[in-house]
Amino acid sequence: MKLGIVGLPNVGKSTLFNSLTKAGAESANYPFCTIDPNVGIVAVPDERLRLLGDFYHSKKVTPAVIEFVDIAGLVKGASKGEGLGNQFLANIREVDAIVHVVRCFEDANVVHVDGSIDPLRDIETINLELIFSDLEILERRIAKVTKTARMDKTAAKELELLKRIKEHLEEGSPAKTLEVDDEDELALLEGYNLLTYKPVIYAANVAEDDLADDAAGNAHVEKVRAYAKEQNSEVFVICAQIEQEIAELDEDEKKMFLEDLGIEESGLEKLIRASYHILGLMSFLTAGEDETRAWTIRIGTKAPQAAGKIHTDFERGFIKAEVVNYKDLLDCGSYAGAREKGLVRMEGKDYVVKDGDVILFRFNV
């Protein structure tokens, strides 16, 4: 999974990236201090992996990972060359979802590029730049397809769709809110890789005092939540500064620190949960003495395709899958014990993998 982090300058975007990845992207109290895209790989925290690793005394425990791409702060006019952000929009065109960091805290010591705190205005500024960037992509595609549309019915149909998307964007609406007529149009729309077609997760960056009650009394956050609901987007509350402090602690210290703050999970955990939810993802597990590992798949994936996530040969030569729920396995104390109780099932090609399944694939190539 690959997530792109966007936002205006000085909203806490690079501070958040630093804390999530410990990659040390430069952050400072002035616009455009981040002038190169930063990429960080983060392990997905998963207690099930630790438990299964201990259960099997695994030599290696391999979590699922998320790749974060942090780009320079965008400003109004970025798509036309203002600031530096427009140079890096291409870096987030390949991501699965966009994490939009929105400033929801007041602090006279941290300047805002527009002089005041207004999260909906900030969201609109970023959205317009993403729309302008998408319009450039569409205009190039329209110019190409127009040449063949007169003689080719398929091209003519695509041109009609391209013009509809362009008109929709010019009205200020993101591509993901466009209604398409059939699966062919949907496939084309997905293939254009438009920034405004990607799912969005809003990170409402608040002051430390707002963290404990999930920013219940913060009017800025409530506006972001209402907007996100309209857009079928996800929202989570974070304090980037606190996340940076958490990033420096070991697991035990982190747990105590979170308890002292009155919060149950870190911003990273909130973000991962929101990401998996909005992208329709889950994890199945493989476990043994050599390695215990988490594999990320889409909800609804059948056993052969899940096997193909490990190796294409597993999918090609799929015979069956031995499946047991991780909790049942741990409760029984051994794989043999789970089998004796009838909790290990033999599943075929039509089995839909469930979150938390521990699977041993049988194949022959």
Side-chain angles (χ1 to χ4, degrees):
M1 180 162 53
K2 194 172 182 179
L3 303 176
I5 304 178
V6 302
L8 292 172
N10 297 345
V11 297
K13 184 175 60 64
S14 289
T15 303
L16 175 60
F17 175 80
N18 291 349
S19 61
L20 294 178
T21 65
K22 300 183 185 178
E26 184 183 1
S27 64
N29 183 21
Y30 57 91
F32 317 128
C33 64
T34 320
I35 57 171
D36 289 311
N38 292 281
V39 178
I41 305 292
V42 178
V44 174
D46 193 335
E47 179 69 1
R48 301 172 302 185
L49 274 184
R50 185 187 66 78
L51 294 171
L52 285 169
D54 291 345
F55 181 82
Y56 278 105
H57 305 291
S58 303
K59 296 172 187 171
K60 187 179 177 185
V61 175
T62 307
V65 296
I66 295 179
E67 183 175 333
F68 288 102
V69 182
D70 174 40
I71 66 167
L74 295 171
V75 292
K76 196 175 290 183
S79 60
K80 302 298 180 188
E82 292 296 322
L84 298 167
N86 65 307
Q87 299 172 37
F88 306 117
L89 282 170
N91 293 307
I92 58 167
R93 208 164 279 285
E94 300 305 317
V95 302
D96 299 304
I98 291 172
V99 180
H100 185 163
V101 183
V102 187
R103 179 170 167 178
C104 295
F105 65 90
E106 304 276 351
D107 187 340
N109 296 316
V110 181
V111 297
H112 189 292
V113 288
D114 289 328
S116 62
I117 309 303
D118 184 344
L120 296 188
R121 177 201 60 209
D122 295 353
I123 288 172
E124 185 180 354
T125 297
I126 297 292
N127 285 350
L128 282 173
E129 295 314 313
L130 300 182
I131 284 172
F132 291 143
S133 181
D134 282 348
L135 282 170
E136 285 184 25
I137 297 289
L138 284 175
E139 283 162 5
R140 287 200 294 269
R141 183 67 189 168
I142 287 170
K144 185 176 180 181
V145 174
T146 300
K147 294 175 184 176
T148 55
R150 289 181 185 176
M151 307 294 291
D152 186 327
K153 286 184 180 178
T154 304
K157 188 179 178 184
E158 182 183 358
L159 182 60
E160 186 183 312
L161 173 64
L162 286 164
K163 287 179 177 177
R164 268 175 42 222
I165 301 170
K166 184 171 182 283
E167 187 178 322
H168 187 73
L169 291 177
E170 286 172 343
E171 290 170 356
S173 302
K176 66 181 175 183
T177 61
L178 178 75
E179 291 185 12
V180 291
D181 295 334
D182 53 42
E183 288 186 9
D184 289 341
E185 284 195 348
L186 180 61
L188 283 169
L189 180 55
E190 289 174 348
Y192 299 139
N193 218 5
L194 300 174
L195 294 173
T196 62
Y197 189 70
K198 297 182 185 298
V200 179
I201 303 161
Y202 291 99
N205 189 14
V206 301
E208 180 182 336
D209 294 344
D210 281 333
L211 261 188
D213 58 356
D214 208 29
N218 186 313
H220 298 313
V221 175
E222 291 310 312
K223 287 178 183 177
V224 175
R225 283 184 170 133
Y227 177 83
K229 190 175 181 181
E230 288 175 10
Q231 299 292 319
N232 291 321
S233 298
E234 294 275 332
V235 181
F236 72 101
V237 172
I238 198 167
C239 174
Q241 207 61 50
I242 290 295
E243 287 301 312
Q244 199 162 38
E245 292 179 37
I246 291 173
E248 304 302 320
L249 305 175
D250 62 31
E251 281 304 309
D252 290 338
E253 290 174 326
K254 184 174 101 173
K255 194 173 181 182
M256 289 172 60
F257 187 61
L258 291 174
E259 285 174 1
D260 288 343
L261 290 171
I263 55 179
E264 294 180 358
E265 55 184 355
S266 69
L268 175 61
E269 289 162 329
K270 289 180 184 178
L271 174 52
I272 288 169
R273 187 156 42 81
S275 305
Y276 271 64
H277 184 257
I278 204 167
L279 292 170
L281 301 175
M282 65 176 204
S283 295
F284 75 91
L285 311 157
T286 53
E289 286 184 15
D290 287 336
E291 183 182 34
T292 291
R293 182 165 181 168
W295 304 86
T296 302
I297 56 172
R298 291 198 178 279
I299 293 170
T301 299
K302 292 186 176 179
Q305 288 69 50
K309 188 81 177 176
I310 300 172
H311 197 286
T312 52
D313 284 350
F314 283 29
E315 181 176 358
R316 189 159 53 90
F318 178 88
I319 299 172
K320 62 185 176 183
E322 289 186 24
V323 183
V324 59
N325 177 270
Y326 87 97
K327 197 169 185 311
D328 289 339
L329 176 58
L330 294 172
D331 289 346
C332 289
S334 70
Y335 197 83
R339 193 193 294 278
E340 282 174 19
K341 290 187 177 181
L343 296 172
V344 178
R345 310 180 311 277
M346 296 298 173
E347 301 287 1
K349 292 182 177 181
D350 291 330
Y351 176 69
V352 177
V353 176
K354 296 179 178 62
D355 189 54
D357 278 349
V358 179
I359 306 180
L360 175 63
F361 292 106
R362 303 292 184 186
F363 69 102
N364 183 31
V365 288

